[in-house]
């Protein structure tokens, strides 16, 4: 069990595929083939790195660094403007972006007073409004209290007293409210989104999911089942639940494949853990860095590739995620594919700044087997800039 920010990160990943959609029951898996970390995680890393080096970097610098490193993580309009200009927005956001990134403050603050003060400081660059500052402080303090042994009742009483929150409402009643706001999207989308993203309400919703639960996993599921801004609800609730119960190792191990090495390293520094990157290509790369190279299989015209191909092509009308490196597999001999993979190796060696995310090339449409293709990548085992599909890793590390 780990009491740390990994709990918030996993909430974000688990909620990422359910944003503004509703799950019909509490029986769903936490991880899917489209799951990805989002802005909640990227900026949690920013606050975490700031907490680790407060004497050397400002919160602004750290937010800018991580936001610019992961520009497709899904930021709101105001934060995008901050990333562009580097200047604080005088009209701060009232949304939950300050509370979604604050968990490192709760885990690292020495005292409750320091948690309050640093939570405020971490909010100011983009969320200098009373509700958004209070939201960040409430999540940070809930985490601090949970980590330091407070009961749920003590946490609830303190937050009600300090922030005027209503935390005695039943879970189902709060969920009905959220579902009503979700339904409002069809008539008044702008107003619905304002309500679904407001720090003041969503922080209370997330805390209600935590208070109604008996474990870390139940908290994540209740936060997502509530509906609305699922990744952020589960991220906020997940941070508090992780501080209260800890996160089971088996859940963390499943989450690691979704996380880049630079994030795992920050998480280890805050949580006191020593998780290693999996070396496995994540199922979805749309929030990863733009200069991360997706290596995908395709045909000669580069018009009929597999999933990695779509990850690259999606950029034309949606996000603009990764650079693509085509390997022409469809209709090509095994020797020819091997020669191309050799050239890829040269490309890897001449670009030490890039990460290469190799998809399961040559298998589905080209018709080869992982046993035939994976040996071409034996050179990549142990190279932490080259991630391979799980089937290749399994064969190569035998
Ligand atoms: Mg998000």
């Amino acid at each position: 069990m780990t009491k740390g920010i990994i709990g918030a990160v996993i909430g974000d990943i688990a909620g990422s595929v359910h944003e503004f959609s509703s799950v019909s029951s509490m029986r769903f898996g936490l991880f899917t083939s489209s799951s990805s970390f989002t802005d909640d995680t990227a900026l949690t890393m920013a606050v975490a790195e700031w907490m680790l080096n407060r004497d050397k970097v400002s919160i602004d610098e750290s937010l800018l660094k991580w936001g610019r490193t992961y520009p497709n993580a899904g930021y709101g309009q105001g934060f995008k403007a901050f990333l562009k200009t580097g200047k604080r927005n005088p009209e701060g956001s009232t949304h939950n972006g300050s509370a979604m990134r604050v968990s490192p403050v709760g885990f690292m603050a020495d005292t409750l007073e320091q948690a309050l003060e640093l939570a405020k400081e971490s909010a100011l660059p983009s969320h200098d409004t009373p509700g958004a500052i209070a939201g960040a402080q409430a999540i940070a303090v809930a985490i601090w209290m949970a980590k330091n042994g407070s009961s749920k009742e003590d946490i609830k009483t303190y937050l009600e007293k300090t922030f005027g929150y209503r935390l005695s409402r039943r879970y189902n009643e709060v969920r009905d409210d959220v579902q009503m706001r979700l339904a409002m999207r069809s008539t008044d989308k702008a107003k619905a989104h304002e309500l679904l993203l407001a720090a003041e309400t969503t922080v209370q919703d997330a805390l209600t999911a935590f208070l109604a639960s008996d474990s870390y996993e139940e908290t994540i599921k209740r936060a997502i089942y509530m509906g609305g801004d699922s990744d952020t609800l589960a991220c906020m609730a997940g941070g508090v639940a992780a501080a209260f119960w800890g996160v089971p190792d088996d859940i963390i191990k499943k989450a690691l494949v979704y996380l880049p090495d630079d994030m795992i390293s920050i998480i280890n520094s805050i949580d006191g853990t020593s998780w290693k990157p999996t070396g496995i290509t994540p199922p979805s790369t749309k929030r990863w860095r733009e200069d991360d190279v997706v290596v995908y299989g395709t045909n000669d015209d580069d018009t009929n590739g597999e999933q990695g191909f779509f990850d690259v092509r999606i950029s034309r009308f949606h996000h603009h995620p990764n650079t693509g490196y085509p390997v022409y597999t469809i209709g090509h001999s095994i020797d020819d594919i091997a020669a191309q993979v050799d050239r890829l190796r040269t490309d890897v060696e001449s670009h030490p700044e890039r990460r290469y995310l190799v998809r399961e090339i040559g298998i589905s449409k080209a018709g080869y087997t992982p046993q035939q293709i994976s040996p071409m990548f034996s050179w990549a085992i142990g190279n932490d800039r080259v991630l391979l599909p799980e089937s290749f890793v399994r064969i190569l590390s035998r």
Side-chain angles (χ1 to χ4, degrees), residues 12 19 38-40 73-74 100 231-232:
D12 176 39
E19 200 176 26
T38 78
D39 52 343
D40 306 44
M100 79 187 185
D231 54 330
T232 297

Side-chain angles (χ1 to χ4, degrees), residues 46-278:
V47 173
E49 197 167 53
W50 170 65
M51 286 298 291
L52 293 166
N53 303 289
R54 266 188 304 127
D55 48 336
K56 289 185 222 89
V57 293
S58 69
I59 180 65
D60 302 65
E61 285 166 338
S62 198
L63 288 170
L64 290 171
K65 175 189 154 186
W66 283 87
R68 286 169 178 170
T69 303
Y70 289 93
N72 305 312
Y75 310 105
Q77 285 312 318
F79 197 83
K80 279 189 190 155
F82 171 66
L83 287 183
K84 206 166 180 185
T85 63
K87 289 197 183 65
R88 291 185 176 191
N89 188 346
E91 214 173 292
S93 170
T94 57
H95 293 172
N96 49 25
S98 52
M100 79 187 185
R101 68 188 184 220
V102 80
S103 61
V105 171
F107 283 105
M108 288 194 73
D110 294 323
T111 62
L112 188 147
E113 291 69 32
Q114 194 190 29
L116 286 169
E117 181 193 318
L118 294 177
K120 178 176 180 180
E121 201 177 330
S122 76
L124 291 178
S126 51
H127 287 71
D128 188 2
T129 57
I133 291 169
Q137 290 179 315
I139 294 295
V141 165
I143 289 172
W144 190 90
M145 290 180 78
K147 188 191 149 192
N148 286 284
S150 293
S151 66
K152 277 190 191 172
E153 198 51 39
D154 288 347
I155 296 171
K156 174 171 169 281
T157 306
Y158 180 86
L159 297 176
E160 288 183 326
K161 193 171 62 120
T162 309
F163 301 105
Y165 282 176
R166 289 172 67 202
L167 298 173
S168 296
R169 299 167 72 211
R170 285 177 45 243
Y171 172 82
N172 283 332
E173 189 188 331
V174 175
R175 179 173 189 269
D176 287 346
D177 267 9
V178 177
Q179 292 292 319
M180 223 158 59
R181 291 177 222 146
L182 260 178
M184 201 195 292
R185 290 176 86 223
S186 56
T187 51
D188 189 346
K189 198 165 177 183
K191 175 132 184 266
H193 275 220
E194 207 43 53
L195 292 169
L196 285 165
L197 296 171
E200 193 154 354
T201 42
T202 54
V203 168
Q204 295 179 70
D205 298 345
L207 290 165
T208 301
F210 158 68
L211 292 169
S213 300
D214 289 310
S215 69
Y216 173 77
E217 187 169 357
E218 185 185 345
T219 303
I220 297 297
K221 291 197 164 176
R222 281 195 186 278
I224 292 170
Y225 182 59
M226 208 169 245
D229 191 6
S230 315
D231 54 330
T232 297
L233 284 174
C235 175
M236 298 188 294
V240 182
F244 195 79
W245 290 288
V247 187
D249 282 359
D250 60 317
I251 298 183
I252 299 178
K253 283 180 193 152
K254 285 185 202 138
L256 291 173
V257 72
Y258 297 91
L259 293 168
D261 51 350
D262 50 352
M263 294 192 182
I264 292 176
S265 142
I266 294 282
I267 290 166
N268 283 336
S269 300
I270 299 275
D271 293 356
T273 48
S274 47
W275 301 110
K276 292 195 174 45
T278 59

